[in-house]
Amino acid sequence: MVLHLVSRWPVWLFRWQAAYTPGASVQQKTWAGMSRAAPWGIVGTSPLVCRHSSSTSSRAPEVVLTHKRYPVQRLPFSVVSEEDLAAFERMVPGRVVTDPEQLEASNVDWLRTVRGCSKVLLRPRTSEEVSRILRYCHERNLAVNPQGGNTGMVGGSVPVFDEIILSTALMNQVISFHDVSGILVCQAGCVLEELSQHVEQRDFIMPLDLGAKGSCHIGGNLATNAGGLRFLRYGSLHGNVLGLEVVLADGTILSGLTSLRKDNTGYDLKQLFIGSEGTLGVITAVSISCPPKPKAVNVAFLGCPGFAEVLQTFSSCKAMLGEILSAFEFMDAECMQLVGHHLQLASPVQESPFYVLIETSGSRAEHDAEKLSSFLEQVLGSGLVTDGTLATDQRKIKALWALRERITEALSLDGYVYKYDVSLPVERLYGLVTELRARVGPRAKHVVGYGHLGDGNLHLNVTAEAFSESLLGDLEPYVYEWTAGQQGSVSAEHGVGFRKKDILGYSKPPEALQLMQQLKALLDPKGILNPYKTLPSRA
């Protein structure tokens, strides 16, 4: 690489050969801003708190009960009785929680936007215990809310009314790992970060990486078909999962923990449960393929003069970096202004209308350096990129990733936030942001766009001084109609849960919704599994 082409790049970052650290990897934050919310968004109220903690601040206001905030009516399920509690105690002795203080955290989502009023939480350790619980609940017509790490964004992991909370927290055992094939078999309650550490010690990585990895469970990741930061390189969980063990609503254990990469015998049933959000069955164990751990990781942070240049940079990136490209993230100038203003994070490059973060992961540092050098010279020389900086060791890589990962935190400190997570054709990805800015005008403090450009995933956020019904009326259903008009999806990676179930029709035709309802009726005829979620009230 010719140094004068990148003369503005900080010397402390521009140390390609000297600063290279074998095996460096991007470590995602496991912290999130604690916030309270009015309907449809979040308002930041306190500094960062560790996501490992399940307790809420004593100063945080109480979250309004979901059934009082939203127009939803309880279905005719049975109410838990003393006899039921005694039966549960026989099934999972010492692991039946009824203390209201202990139940508080499990009744509220981490965004503090929805709250249930469950009176009992069960903590099984095995799929056989889950089977006994669900068989009993099916016979008694008791509704059940499966729950993993409770890190969901759409209210899918907490009760709406008094559903029994079925926690997978104690189902946290690694069953096996094969050092040659890289196939991991584990229970659903394993925390993603702990699984990452387990396989990294054996020179593999998980195909999934999330900001919430210190708290989220692999079972919950599967149930929501979580996307994350490695999606561009390793694809979705639909492709990485080899087998599942699932307990159906009537207690039947569907055992399919195969480690085969190829199995063309009949319907691929596991795909039904990935992304079903606990409405078709409770995932209790998984067999998943883990890729080898990269030996060389590099991150470039670049400034672009326009979104057209961002798209052209992405095209060049795919063509020139090929198999080592592992992430391509983008953010607009307002995002950078917010992280600078609220978090005092300085931009390492000159002010630009757009910024991109590119990560490469490969097996040989010299090979990756040569590819990156050619790519950066090309985009700088052609004017697609006006400025940039490069990091090759873990500390500096984390510093660059923080500029992208902490945007959510900065937004929460800016006021009330209306949050949208949509998929769009990449060439139209930023059009929604531009049109929405013109639509809402000065009534919004900021309208920002950022996200996983490589996946066509836009995180659209609108901030205001306070919640406004008038502003909400300008945002919805406009955002969903605009997205549908581009053949996009109203939920890219956050799922549907409780809060998006009635907008599913913007992304799915009536025939698809009807088939989903039929599948639900077939696998869960009494509707006891995670009711009020995922499917619209009227299909």
Side-chain angles (χ1 to χ4, degrees):
M1 178 177 286
V2 181
L3 184 59
H4 72 264
L5 287 174
V6 287
S7 57
R8 278 190 48 82
W9 294 18
V11 174
W12 64 274
L13 280 175
F14 193 80
R15 290 285 186 268
W16 188 288
Q17 300 295 337
Y20 166 69
T21 303
S25 62
V26 178
Q27 300 296 320
Q28 307 305 333
K29 303 279 185 186
T30 56
W31 301 77
M34 182 61 73
S35 59
R36 66 178 174 87
W40 317 107
I42 62 171
V43 179
T45 59
S46 69
L48 290 181
V49 296
C50 183
R51 286 288 292 276
H52 288 285
S53 172
S54 61
S55 61
T56 57
S57 170
S58 59
R59 295 175 294 173
E62 186 176 73
V63 179
V64 178
L65 287 168
T66 302
H67 68 266
K68 291 186 176 180
R69 170 175 286 174
Y70 298 95
V72 57
Q73 292 187 341
R74 187 183 187 278
L75 296 174
F77 297 114
S78 300
V79 177
V80 176
S81 66
E82 291 297 327
E83 291 77 12
D84 295 327
L85 292 176
F88 293 140
E89 184 61 34
R90 291 192 293 273
M91 296 177 205
V92 286
R95 289 170 280 136
V96 179
V97 179
T98 57
D99 180 3
E101 290 190 5
Q102 294 184 52
L103 286 165
E104 181 182 356
S106 297
N107 267 309
V108 181
D109 73 319
W110 80 268
L111 284 178
R112 298 185 61 77
T113 61
V114 288
R115 179 166 72 96
C117 49
S118 177
K119 300 296 190 295
V120 57
L121 179 147
L122 306 177
R123 293 161 61 87
R125 285 198 177 99
T126 66
S127 12
E128 289 74 22
E129 289 181 342
V130 173
S131 174
R132 288 194 287 270
I133 290 168
L134 290 186
R135 186 180 303 115
Y136 181 89
C137 291
H138 185 261
E139 292 171 355
R140 281 275 296 120
N141 196 36
L142 291 166
V144 178
N145 182 98
Q147 187 176 93
N150 195 16
T151 59
M153 303 286 285
V154 288
S157 60
V158 296
V160 175
F161 290 96
D162 58 346
E163 301 91 89
I164 294 166
I165 300 173
L166 181 64
S167 170
T168 59
L170 298 183
M171 302 180 69
N172 57 3
Q173 300 300 305
V174 171
I175 298 169
S176 66
F177 182 78
H178 198 283
D179 290 327
V180 175
S181 65
I183 295 172
L184 171 73
V185 181
C186 65
Q187 288 185 300
C190 291
V191 174
L192 180 59
E193 186 171 46
E194 294 174 2
L195 290 178
S196 295
Q197 293 168 351
H198 182 85
V199 299
E200 283 181 20
Q201 291 170 2
R202 294 156 177 82
D203 289 327
F204 288 83
I205 62 171
M206 294 296 290
L208 174 72
D209 192 19
L210 302 172
K213 70 179 179 182
S215 303
C216 64
H217 295 182
I218 188 65
N221 299 150
L222 297 168
T224 57
N225 191 27
L229 300 166
R230 290 177 178 162
F231 190 99
L232 177 63
R233 176 69 172 270
Y234 301 113
S236 79
L237 289 170
H238 282 290
N240 291 297
V241 171
L242 303 178
L244 291 179
E245 181 182 73
V246 181
V247 181
L248 304 182
D250 63 358
T252 300
I253 298 178
L254 186 63
S255 182
L257 282 181
T258 178
S259 294
L260 301 175
R261 292 181 181 273
K262 301 178 76 173
D263 180 7
N264 202 13
T265 53
Y267 302 131
D268 193 0
L269 295 178
K270 66 179 180 291
Q271 305 297 352
L272 278 177
F273 301 98
I274 299 173
S276 67
E277 303 186 60
T279 61
L280 300 180
V282 177
I283 296 172
T284 53
V286 58
S287 171
I288 189 168
S289 178
C290 299
K293 181 179 178 180
K295 292 180 170 58
V297 176
N298 306 282
V299 170
F301 194 86
L302 313 173
C304 293
F307 192 68
E309 287 77 12
V310 170
L311 293 176
Q312 292 176 64
T313 300
F314 179 50
S315 295
S316 297
C317 194
K318 289 191 295 180
M320 299 184 70
L321 298 182
E323 79 287 351
I324 67 171
L325 178 62
S326 54
F328 192 102
E329 304 285 308
F330 92 99
M331 66 191 77
D332 60 23
E334 290 196 33
C335 289
M336 184 63 75
Q337 291 165 12
L338 288 169
V339 297
H341 177 70
H342 293 293
L343 305 176
Q344 290 73 54
L345 295 182
S347 172
V349 300
Q350 68 184 17
E351 186 175 340
S352 302
F354 290 92
Y355 305 88
V356 298
L357 183 150
I358 299 169
E359 181 189 78
T360 64
S361 304
S363 59
R364 191 161 62 91
E366 295 79 7
H367 169 266
D368 296 0
E370 183 180 349
K371 281 199 163 192
L372 262 175
S373 175
S374 297
F375 163 72
L376 292 172
E377 287 180 12
Q378 197 275 331
V379 293
L380 281 161
S382 64
L384 297 179
V385 169
T386 54
D387 194 17
T389 192
L390 180 69
T392 59
D393 71 76
Q394 186 174 344
R395 180 179 64 85
K396 297 161 189 176
I397 284 172
K398 288 174 66 177
L400 292 182
W401 266 110
L403 295 169
R404 162 62 181 86
E405 288 194 289
R406 297 185 69 185
I407 294 172
T408 298
E409 178 190 348
L411 286 163
S412 71
L413 297 172
D414 198 54
Y416 186 86
V417 190
Y418 303 82
K419 303 181 75 68
Y420 302 94
D421 161 56
V422 299
S423 279
L424 291 163
V426 289
E427 66 274 10
R428 296 288 289 146
L429 197 68
Y430 201 72
L432 178 55
V433 183
T434 303
E435 293 192 24
L436 205 59
R437 276 194 188 125
R439 180 179 175 86
V440 301
R443 285 173 299 149
K445 291 179 66 178
H446 293 97
V447 178
V448 307
Y450 65 98
H452 318 297
L453 185 77
D455 314 331
N457 183 183
L458 172 69
H459 293 306
L460 170 67
N461 289 255
V462 180
T463 65
E465 291 293 348
F467 173 74
S468 164
E469 286 284 357
S470 173
L471 181 54
L472 177 63
D474 278 339
L475 297 173
E476 299 176 16
Y478 179 81
V479 169
Y480 305 130
E481 291 173 345
W482 198 97
T483 300
Q486 305 300 319
Q487 303 297 304
S489 170
V490 295
S491 182
E493 63 180 3
H494 292 167
V496 178
F498 173 76
R499 296 184 59 192
K500 287 189 175 181
K501 64 187 178 69
D502 289 322
I503 62 169
L504 208 56
Y506 287 103
S507 296
K508 293 291 185 287
E511 296 80 8
L513 295 177
Q514 182 180 14
L515 183 56
M516 291 181 196
Q517 294 280 16
Q518 291 170 344
L519 286 170
K520 170 70 171 176
L522 176 66
L523 294 175
D524 182 16
K526 292 187 176 182
I528 66 168
L529 289 178
N530 221 11
Y532 323 104
K533 318 278 180 61
T534 306
L535 295 177
S537 302
R538 293 185 180 88

